[in-house]
Amino acid sequence: MIRSDLRTYLKSRSGLTDLVGGASDPRLYLSNIPQAPALANYPCVVYRRASGGYEHELDGSAGKASPLFEFHVFGTDPDDVEAIGNQLRLALDGFCGTMGDTAVDCVTIDDEFDDYIETKIGDDLVGFHRTVLEFTIQHDVAIPVFS
């Protein structure tokens, strides 16, 4: 499955994992950030499939999917956030090959933007820098068979 294979692949990229907690337990989260202990979870990457799509031919499935994944990089230091975003770009943009059990045709970066978020953690007001990178990951999927 692409989500878990993507995480496994990213965990193998030491340039990235060195910045988000190390290879044994990197702060690469699917969809949400664990709530406790709050500041120990930063900097981090939260990723999600923002949209999906499957390719079709006239007679059915083409056996390809092209989901858009968003990677949200959060941290209190803007330089850390930029470095992590750059490592994501280096790990993914232009990748063609295998991620775990998933055959990937091509990964392309579609967009990147930054912002700043203030939130309350406990009694403290904390500011987070955020970079969002969007990648389309075209990969093979099983073709449905009907009997």
Side-chain angles (χ1 to χ4, degrees), residues 2-3 6-7 9-10 16 28-31 44-50 67-74 81 84-85 88-89 91-93 99 107-109 111-114 130-137:
I2 187 64
R3 287 179 196 88
L6 178 57
R7 186 173 197 280
Y9 169 73
L10 291 174
L16 174 63
L28 299 170
Y29 305 120
L30 177 60
S31 299
C44 68
V45 176
V46 178
Y47 68 101
R48 71 183 191 104
R49 185 176 64 179
L68 177 75
F69 277 87
E70 290 181 346
F71 293 82
H72 298 253
V73 182
F74 292 97
V81 171
I84 295 165
L88 280 168
R89 183 186 60 79
L92 292 171
D93 192 28
M99 289 182 183
V107 179
T108 56
I109 189 167
D111 201 5
E112 179 178 8
F113 56 91
D114 305 311
R130 177 176 74 155
T131 294
V132 179
L133 298 98
E134 296 178 339
F135 293 90
T136 298
I137 303 175

Side-chain angles (χ1 to χ4, degrees), residues 27 29 33-44 120-122 126 128:
R27 293 183 297 271
Y29 305 120
I33 302 168
Q35 295 302 305
L39 286 176
N41 292 318
Y42 299 93
C44 68
K120 203 163 182 140
I121 296 181
V126 180
F128 292 100

